[in-house]
Amino acid sequence: MALKTVFESQPDRRYIMFGGKGGLGKTTLSATSAFWLASQGKRVLLFSVDPQASLSDIFQRDIFGKGPVKIMDNLWAQEVDADRRIREYQEEIRKKILDMYGFEKVPEEIDNYIAAASAEPAMEESAIFDAVVDIIVQGDYDYYIYDLVPLGHALYYLSMAKVYDEWINKITKLREEMQQYDQVAATMRREETVQEDQILKELNYIKDRINASSRILTDSTRTAFFFVVVPEEMIILDTQKAAALFAKFDVPISGYVVNRVLPPELRSPGTPAYLQNRIAMQDRYLGAIKQAFGDRVLAYVPEMERDVTGLGMIERLAHRLFADGEGGRS
């Protein structure tokens, strides 16, 4: 099956992710797929939470931290400003503390703790995870294409839904038990009702958001995850290991896209020896890819003669990937 066929035959898959190690072309393929879907009349949001995101570079537009920016008809792109998101996250925590406990101002020791915690990686990842949840639960677009961070971080983000869910379940259970004790105490005091547990209410709100995003990311009928791989030995081995790890988190792997395949027109008698060796080496690894991933390889993306930046080059690659022959399969 070709990549184009995957999109056309399963239109309910609205959440699209391209994953892989850094520098393999995830952003290029995310942008190319977003361009093609938008050209088919679908409303598409392409977004990234990677602090080193390159959507601004590939579209040659400054979109960092500006929310969804219209790139062309039906296509919007968004790069989340992680630092600003962390500041907003801190303010949300302060406001919730004020609301829950009726303070006029956040106690200094708690405020110091919030400020110190912002330096922890967990605070940044929690804030960014929250930003992803905000984006994907809105439902304003026909397609959401998530230009994932490199593999290690991506696994961490994807695992956070499960880790958060388990943690929230434990805390929620404790709060529910405490609420039962409060009810008994209120009855003994002949009080008709107990005050609503604001902490439990907040925990249930967070849990609902996490469950909603987790259901989306692990639902094979709504989500498609594509691994990007290039014909190099270490990348093939790393991709196999990563695929096994992703499967543990129930991420539906829809197929593999092989990027940077040397074009066939280079195979001529006059080709320099250096290039002939590179072609022979790549042929060997393409054979390894076919053996490792078989029919789950959906496309072979040619190495372009220059960087894919700007709508003109993206359109050219989209034509090669989705319109020519079998959608890029060699």
Side-chain angles (χ1 to χ4, degrees):
M1 185 182 290
L3 188 61
K4 177 182 176 183
T5 311
V6 172
F7 283 115
E8 289 180 338
S9 65
Q10 298 173 66
D12 291 335
R13 287 182 172 178
R14 301 174 52 211
Y15 302 94
I16 311 297
M17 294 181 282
F18 285 91
K21 293 194 73 171
L24 300 187
K26 297 187 300 295
T27 301
T28 301
L29 291 169
S30 297
T32 304
S33 299
F35 178 94
W36 182 75
L37 286 167
S39 302
Q40 306 304 302
K42 308 296 183 185
R43 283 170 53 85
V44 182
L45 176 66
L46 168 60
F47 71 97
S48 173
V49 296
D50 187 350
Q52 297 179 321
S54 47
L55 294 182
S56 288
D57 296 331
I58 198 163
F59 289 121
Q60 298 178 323
R61 297 270 300 274
D62 180 16
I63 62 173
F64 183 73
K66 292 182 167 53
V69 174
K70 188 169 184 177
I71 303 298
M72 56 181 267
D73 285 349
N74 298 319
L75 174 59
W76 287 260
Q78 180 175 0
E79 284 180 334
V80 174
D81 180 343
D83 290 338
R84 189 170 73 191
R85 183 66 193 179
I86 290 168
R87 291 194 297 274
E88 292 171 350
Y89 198 63
Q90 287 177 317
E91 282 307 308
E92 284 177 28
I93 293 172
R94 289 190 182 96
K95 184 174 184 308
K96 283 173 182 172
I97 288 173
L98 293 177
D99 291 344
M100 283 182 195
Y101 297 102
F103 295 144
E104 290 187 3
K105 63 176 289 190
V106 176
E108 185 178 350
E109 59 273 23
I110 295 177
D111 204 44
N112 289 341
Y113 174 76
I114 293 172
S118 67
E120 298 286 336
M123 173 68 92
E124 179 180 340
E125 282 150 352
S126 298
I128 293 174
F129 179 80
D130 212 47
V132 173
V133 175
D134 273 348
I135 291 171
I136 65 176
V137 299
Q138 286 175 359
D140 296 334
Y141 299 89
D142 296 322
Y143 282 89
Y144 291 84
I145 299 186
Y146 183 2
D147 179 22
L148 274 174
V149 291
L151 276 179
H153 282 95
L155 273 170
Y156 191 87
Y157 286 135
L158 294 170
S159 68
M160 283 188 80
K162 281 197 169 183
V163 173
Y164 272 22
D165 193 43
E166 289 174 8
W167 180 77
I168 296 259
N169 276 337
K170 283 183 183 175
I171 301 295
T172 304
K173 188 179 176 189
L174 282 173
R175 294 299 303 184
E176 287 171 346
E177 289 173 357
M178 288 175 63
Q179 198 172 37
Q180 289 176 4
Y181 293 137
D182 288 345
Q183 183 65 57
V184 171
T187 303
M188 291 175 69
R189 292 196 299 268
R190 299 180 183 278
E191 295 173 359
E192 292 185 358
T193 58
V194 295
Q195 192 172 8
E196 184 179 19
D197 188 333
Q198 291 297 325
I199 295 177
L200 183 59
K201 185 179 174 184
E202 178 66 17
L203 286 169
N204 281 325
Y205 169 74
I206 296 171
K207 186 178 171 183
D208 287 345
R209 277 166 55 83
I210 290 172
N211 285 341
S213 63
S214 183
R215 278 196 299 272
I216 288 172
L217 293 176
T218 57
D219 183 353
S220 61
T221 63
R222 293 191 290 171
T223 301
F225 180 92
F226 303 104
F227 264 113
V228 181
V229 60
V230 299
E232 294 178 15
E233 184 176 18
M234 291 308 299
I235 299 299
I236 298 168
L237 294 175
D238 286 345
T239 303
Q240 287 177 293
K241 290 176 188 171
L245 286 171
F246 272 61
K248 284 186 179 178
F249 291 112
D250 301 323
V251 176
I253 300 172
S254 303
Y256 299 81
V257 178
V258 185
N259 196 17
R260 295 184 185 155
V261 179
L262 294 172
E265 53 267 30
L266 292 179
R267 301 168 187 272
S268 67
T271 301
Y274 168 82
L275 200 48
Q276 286 183 21
N277 288 336
R278 296 293 301 178
I279 292 170
M281 187 174 69
Q282 196 172 84
D283 283 348
R284 189 164 67 251
Y285 293 131
L286 286 172
I289 286 172
K290 189 169 286 187
Q291 188 172 16
F293 307 121
D295 291 340
R296 303 194 74 191
V297 175
L298 304 172
Y300 292 88
V301 184
E303 180 83 89
M304 303 296 276
E305 71 276 11
R306 67 179 179 86
D307 290 342
V308 179
T309 53
L311 286 179
M313 280 300 289
I314 292 171
E315 183 177 14
R316 280 187 58 196
L317 185 59
H319 188 76
R320 294 285 297 272
L321 189 55
F322 291 101
D324 283 352
E326 296 184 7
R329 297 189 78 186
S330 66

